[in-house]
Amino acid sequence: MPVKHPPDYEITIPECKGDILRIRDLRFAYPDGRVALRGVSLNVCEGEKVAVVGPNGAGKSTLMLHLNGILRGHGSISIAGMSITRENLPIIRAMVGLVFHNPDDQLFSPTVFDDVAFGPLHMGLPEAEVYTRVDEALAAVQMDDFGKRLSHHLSAGQKKRIAIATVLAMRPQILVLDEPSSGLDPRARRSLINLLRELPITMLISTHDLAMVEELFPRMVIMDEGFVVADGPTAKLLEDGVLLEAHGLEKP
Ligand SMILES: Nc1ncnc2c1ncn2[C@@H]1O[C@H](COP(=O)(O)OP(=O)(O)OP(=O)(O)O)[C@@H](O)[C@H]1O
Ligand SMILES: [Mg+2]
């Protein structure tokens, strides 16, 4: 398949003092040689809610896995002015709350409490503070009474909420969510949307749920074949039928 060359649309680099996330010319190939990112640049300002969309294989998840140093590509990434290096990885991981596509990749402890407490404990916080963080995080996702439940016995929607709580307990500066609404029934999706709307935190998500993007994310970034091909106001990009069709997207 021929590789397209970006951008095929106006790219708006937002003006903000001290970007919370700044990515420049990020390139990455998997060990088998598959090129997944071909020079991605992106700024996210403090408090912004940004959605990354694009077809399967566009590079969205690969991009997200770079934001807390799970994958390391070429180019530069900085979080609140701090670049990602081996030395500052623990700080970066406390600043960037990454929620994986599959909650089973995030939940590995026997109980919900243990899963949510894992990050704060790992940060070396005192026990009382760990309890406070867990209570706060479970309340934020409306799962207050689930501490003693077994993580692997929860429904898909409940697991998603707990996965979000595990990163909220770290009080991250930016929340990065890979396909948060996939696999949820309409009621669980609706309550997730309400939760994301109310979280007063900078957010970068990847999703195929353009209706959720239209409702919740004022800015949209379209990726295709490892490139950012468009970046701008969601309302404007969703009006461009030619652009959407060129990248396998459909107006909700
Ligand atoms: N572990 C891996 N090893 C080799 N190639 C991979 C690996 N993971 C992903 N890829 C490839 O990297 C490219 C980008 O994949 P990625 O998972 O980032 O896409 P995506 O935009 O998240 O897609 P989706 O919408 O399906 O989640 C694809 O070509 C994919 O096949
Ligand atoms: Mg993905």
Side-chain angles (χ1 to χ4, degrees):
M1 193 192 285
V3 170
K4 301 179 192 81
H5 292 280
D8 62 6
Y9 204 77
E10 172 190 346
I11 303 276
T12 325
I13 299 279
E15 293 285 327
C16 52
K17 266 197 236 149
D19 321 298
I20 188 134
L21 170 65
R22 183 185 166 91
I23 304 171
R24 286 293 173 275
D25 201 26
L26 185 64
R27 294 164 188 274
F28 178 77
Y30 281 98
D32 66 357
R34 165 85 44 197
V35 180
L37 300 176
R38 301 175 192 268
V40 168
S41 296
L42 185 67
N43 276 30
V44 175
C45 304
E46 181 132 31
E48 259 196 312
K49 284 186 163 69
V50 181
V52 182
V53 304
N56 293 138
K60 304 178 298 295
S61 297
T62 305
L63 174 66
M64 305 210 143
L65 291 171
H66 277 78
L67 302 185
N68 70 358
I70 293 174
L71 296 178
R72 302 289 297 275
H74 297 283
S76 70
I77 304 178
S78 59
I79 311 291
M82 188 186 299
S83 57
I84 302 180
T85 61
R86 198 179 295 276
E87 294 71 43
N88 62 24
L89 221 43
I91 305 172
I92 294 287
R93 291 201 170 147
M95 290 166 85
V96 180
L98 176 62
V99 180
F100 299 113
H101 177 198
N102 182 355
D104 290 328
D105 292 339
Q106 203 123 21
L107 307 178
F108 46 81
S109 308
T111 68
V112 166
F113 177 91
D114 295 330
D115 265 325
V116 181
F118 180 85
L121 276 174
H122 212 70
M123 286 164 84
L125 296 175
E127 197 179 308
E129 174 69 11
V130 172
Y131 276 90
T132 307
R133 297 274 189 115
V134 173
D135 286 348
E136 232 177 59
L138 288 177
V141 298
Q142 292 162 11
M143 300 285 281
D144 310 63
D145 299 329
F146 278 69
K148 292 201 174 87
R149 297 279 296 270
L150 304 182
S151 299
H152 59 283
H153 284 178
L154 301 176
S155 77
Q158 291 168 334
K159 282 183 184 171
K160 288 252 180 198
R161 284 178 170 261
I162 299 301
I164 294 173
T166 65
V167 303
L168 289 180
M170 307 280 282
R171 294 198 188 142
Q173 301 203 11
I174 175 166
L175 194 56
V176 178
L177 304 156
D178 196 358
E179 299 200 33
S181 65
S182 77
L184 301 187
D185 71 18
R187 193 195 292 144
R189 174 180 173 276
R190 178 50 49 197
S191 69
L192 176 92
I193 288 175
N194 292 336
L195 165 66
L196 298 184
R197 179 184 290 114
E198 276 152 29
L199 284 177
I201 183 171
T202 310
M203 218 175 266
L204 182 72
I205 70 148
S206 104
T207 187
H208 295 290
D209 185 346
L210 289 192
M212 176 177 72
V213 176
E214 186 172 38
E215 187 176 333
L216 213 58
F217 294 84
R219 182 172 152 219
M220 183 168 116
V221 173
I222 303 178
M223 285 186 71
D224 201 353
E225 298 194 358
F227 294 113
V228 169
V229 295
D231 179 346
T234 299
K236 185 174 162 193
L237 298 189
L238 287 179
E239 282 310 312
D240 190 333
V242 175
L243 173 76
L244 297 183
E245 197 185 336
H247 301 290
L249 300 167
E250 275 178 10
K251 189 172 162 41

